């Protein structure tokens, strides 16, 4: 047993220790399962080693070999040396260019490799290693890119946490304003109720005091008349006319007190709706709200997302696909693909700005700005320009410096117009056919004066 090797006990087909070996008429042994599979594949009963046809469909088991294999120590069942051919036990010196596998000299001359092309292994390895070096370079570049993306993911996760915390604080702040308004309204309503209660209590107190005086006077009169009626006949008759006159009560009877009760409907009737209507004094609607996820790292947005200011230093923001990374731009949070929409932009003393609409598919990375997919008007600090995909940049005249710009988008009608709402002057109109979602678009390079989206006061009607 010690003189036997793994190679001698290995099947020439599967190269593993024999399992149920059968003995062919040519004296070669093969695993029964391997032989059946080989015959099925080749559709002929031949030896996998020498290709001699077998005379038996069911070759007998090679019991001696089977026993040797079963008794072979498991710790010695290692594979044959990697540079030795498992089929012929010869050193692997050649490489078959067709089958892409190392072969020995015997393999080269075998039927299996008839008409194949071979090269020495030491000549093939350098070119294959070079090929792998190229592949490795590509894989390393992919690895580097994926590590960068992972870093961006980690930054995004951290920024999401910061965003959520800041947004939560803003939500609490906004609701606190509403709570304060509601508390003030509650207190004012209760105060008005108590004021009415005090006024009407005072009124009833005065009426009660007056009534008490009348009752007291009338009681005295009744008592005095009763006393006079007890006097002697002569005395009674002498005072009869005076007493009769006193018995006449010329004062009118008091009326029941109307409107003395609390006017409850004044306080409870449609209370929630009336408070809601009063909220229009503190609640304003902004037609366009800025989307901070699109804002350049050099733009600072207000907490209410209605204004933007340029900042020279770049904020550490995630480089997400929606964000502008080169130009100082930001988009509105809602895109439009139908209907008519209007919003005002307060440009004030901003020294340079751009306002307009932009196509959703516009590439926001890099410096390819002001090409396809943007309709805008612009102030450069010296002149006013308009530009669109259909029109090159062109000046338009302005009498006085613009302080506010009104943008009117008619998506269905295919036009976007710009006007000065202060003087009601039309500035420029683009006419085209829109084919995709458009977003409000803003740019600023001024550090001192923000661009601000004008608000619209909420009007609530009970009709």
């Amino acid at each position: 047993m010690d003189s036997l090797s793994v190679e001698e006990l290995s099947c020439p087909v599967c190269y593993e220790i024999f399992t149920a070996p059968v003995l062919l008429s040519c004296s070669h042994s093969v695993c029964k399962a391997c032989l059946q599979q080989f015959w099925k594949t080749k559709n002929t009963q031949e030896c996998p080693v020498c290709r001699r046809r077998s005379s038996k469909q069911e070759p007998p088991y090679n019991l001696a070999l089977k026993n040797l294999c079963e008794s072979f120590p498991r710790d010695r069942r290692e594979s044959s040396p990697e540079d030795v051919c498992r089929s012929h036990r010869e050193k692997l010196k050649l490489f078959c260019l067709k089958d892409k596998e190392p072969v020995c000299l015997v393999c080269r001359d075998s039927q299996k490799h008839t008409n194949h092309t071979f090269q020495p292994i030491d000549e093939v390895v350098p070119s294959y290693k070079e090929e792998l070096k190229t592949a490795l370079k590509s894989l390393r570049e992919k690895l580097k890119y994926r590590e960068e993306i992972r870093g961006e993911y980690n930054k995004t996760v951290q920024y999401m946490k910061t965003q959520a915390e800041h947004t939560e604080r803003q939500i609490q702040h906004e609701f606190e304003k509403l709570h304060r308004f509601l508390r003030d309204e509650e207190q004012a309503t209760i105060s008005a109720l108590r004021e009415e209660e005090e006024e009407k209590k005072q009124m009833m107190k005065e009426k009660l005091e007056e009534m008490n005086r009348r009752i007291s006077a009338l009681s005295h009169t009744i008592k005095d008349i009763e006393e006079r009626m007890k006097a002697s006949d002569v005395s009674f008759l002498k005072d009869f006319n005076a007493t009769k006159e006193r018995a006449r009560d010329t004062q009118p009877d008091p009326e029941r007190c109307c409107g003395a009760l609390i006017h409850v409907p004044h306080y409870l009737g449609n209370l929630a709706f009336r408070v809601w209507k009063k909220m229009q004094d503190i609640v304003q609607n902004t037609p366009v709200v800025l989307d901070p996820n699109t804002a350049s790292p050099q733009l600072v947005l207000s907490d209410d997302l209605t204004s933007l200011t340029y900042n020279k230093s770049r904020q550490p923001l995630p480089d997400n696909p929606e964000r502008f990374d080169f130009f100082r731009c930001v988009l509105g949070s809602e895109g439009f693909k139908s209907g008519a929409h209007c919003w005002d932009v307060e440009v004030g003393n901003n020294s340079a700005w751009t306002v307009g609409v932009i196509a959703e598919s516009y590439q926001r990375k890099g410096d390819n700005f002001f090409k396809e997919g943007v309709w805008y008007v612009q102030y450069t600090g010296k002149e006013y320009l308009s530009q669109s995909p259909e029109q090159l940049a062109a000046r338009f005249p302005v009498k006085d410096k613009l302080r506010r710009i009104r943008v009117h988008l008619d998506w269905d009608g295919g036009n976007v117009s710009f006007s000065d709402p202060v003087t009601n002057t039309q500035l420029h109109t683009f006419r085209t056919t829109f084919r995709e979602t458009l977003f409000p678009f803003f740019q600023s390079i001024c550090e001192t004066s923000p661009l601000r989206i004008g608000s619209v006061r909420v009007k609530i009607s009970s009709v």
Side-chain angles (χ1 to χ4, degrees), residues 91-321:
K91 190 172 181 62
L92 298 170
K93 295 183 178 181
L94 302 174
F95 186 77
C96 177
L97 297 178
K98 182 176 182 181
D99 293 336
K100 303 296 182 184
E101 62 179 4
V103 297
C104 67
L105 296 176
V106 179
C107 291
R108 179 192 63 185
D109 299 329
S110 67
Q111 185 178 354
K112 178 182 177 183
H113 293 282
T114 301
N115 297 325
H116 290 189
T117 305
F118 303 89
Q119 271 188 286
I121 286 178
D122 58 355
E123 291 182 9
V124 175
V125 167
S127 61
Y128 275 45
K129 283 189 175 180
E130 194 62 36
E131 185 178 337
L132 278 180
K133 282 181 182 178
T134 303
L136 275 173
K137 182 180 179 182
S138 175
L139 289 175
R140 289 192 181 102
E141 289 174 354
K142 286 185 176 182
L143 176 62
K144 181 180 178 182
Y145 177 73
R146 290 176 185 180
E147 287 175 343
E148 290 175 356
I149 295 298
R150 180 179 64 184
E152 287 297 324
Y153 286 174
N154 288 330
K155 288 181 183 177
T156 300
V157 169
Q158 186 58 42
Y159 185 69
M160 282 169 54
K161 180 181 179 183
T162 303
Q163 260 191 324
E165 291 173 350
H166 177 75
T167 305
E168 181 178 341
R169 287 194 297 271
Q170 287 304 116
I171 291 171
Q172 291 171 343
H173 175 69
E174 291 299 317
F175 271 97
E176 179 54 35
K177 286 164 61 177
L178 297 176
H179 293 159
R180 190 182 309 119
F181 171 81
L182 291 174
R183 287 194 297 268
D184 291 345
E185 280 300 305
E186 176 188 10
Q187 190 59 47
T189 305
I190 292 174
S191 296
L193 170 64
R194 289 175 178 168
E195 184 177 342
E196 181 183 356
E197 180 190 13
E198 287 300 319
E199 288 178 356
K200 292 189 173 179
K201 281 172 64 177
Q202 182 63 31
M203 178 189 71
M204 293 306 299
K205 180 181 178 182
E206 292 174 357
K207 287 182 177 291
L208 280 169
E209 289 176 350
E210 175 64 23
M211 186 58 63
N212 287 334
R213 285 194 295 272
R214 289 189 178 189
I215 289 173
S216 177
L218 188 57
S219 296
H220 284 300
T221 301
I222 292 172
K223 186 177 179 181
D224 187 54
I225 291 173
E226 288 176 344
E227 288 295 328
R228 289 181 180 275
M229 288 178 69
K230 294 177 182 179
S232 63
D233 293 343
V234 173
S235 178
F236 171 74
L237 290 174
K238 284 182 177 181
D239 296 330
F240 176 75
N241 289 331
T243 302
K244 184 179 178 180
E245 187 63 29
R246 289 192 63 187
R248 290 178 58 192
D249 185 9
T250 58
Q251 292 186 351
D253 289 335
E255 297 179 356
R256 293 187 177 275
C257 192
C258 181
L261 298 180
I262 300 296
H263 188 12
V264 176
H266 178 74
Y267 305 100
L268 295 183
N270 293 319
L271 175 61
F273 180 78
R274 289 186 290 107
V275 172
W276 185 34
K277 284 187 66 175
K278 292 184 69 175
M279 289 183 75
Q280 65 183 310
D281 294 330
I282 66 165
V283 175
Q284 294 180 333
N285 176 46
T286 305
V288 172
V289 176
L290 302 176
D291 182 359
N293 294 337
T294 66
S296 159
Q298 290 184 285
L299 288 183
V300 178
L301 306 187
S302 61
D303 287 335
D304 62 359
L305 305 178
T306 61
S307 70
L308 60 143
T309 307
Y310 168 66
N311 190 340
K312 285 184 178 180
S313 60
R314 295 176 68 88
Q315 303 171 84
L317 302 176
D319 188 24
N320 48 299

Side-chain angles (χ1 to χ4, degrees), residues 299-300 307-311 328 345-355 378-384 401-405 442-452:
L299 288 183
V300 178
S307 70
L308 60 143
T309 307
Y310 168 66
N311 190 340
R328 295 91 173 185
V345 184
E346 297 174 8
V347 295
N349 291 319
N350 198 290
S351 57
W353 48 261
T354 307
V355 172
Q378 180 183 68
Y379 178 58
T380 65
K382 296 180 179 179
E383 57 186 357
Y384 293 92
K401 185 176 181 181
L402 298 174
R403 299 292 180 177
R404 180 184 285 249
I405 299 292
F442 312 87
Q443 182 197 31
S444 173
I445 55 173
C446 180
E447 293 183 81
T448 57
S449 182
L451 292 186
R452 186 178 301 279

Side-chain angles (χ1 to χ4, degrees), residues 401-419:
K401 185 176 181 181
L402 298 174
R403 299 292 180 177
R404 180 184 285 249
I405 299 292
R406 175 163 295 167
V407 185
H408 186 274
L409 169 65
D410 182 358
W411 197 98
D412 300 313
N415 68 72
V416 56
S417 62
F418 302 86
S419 61

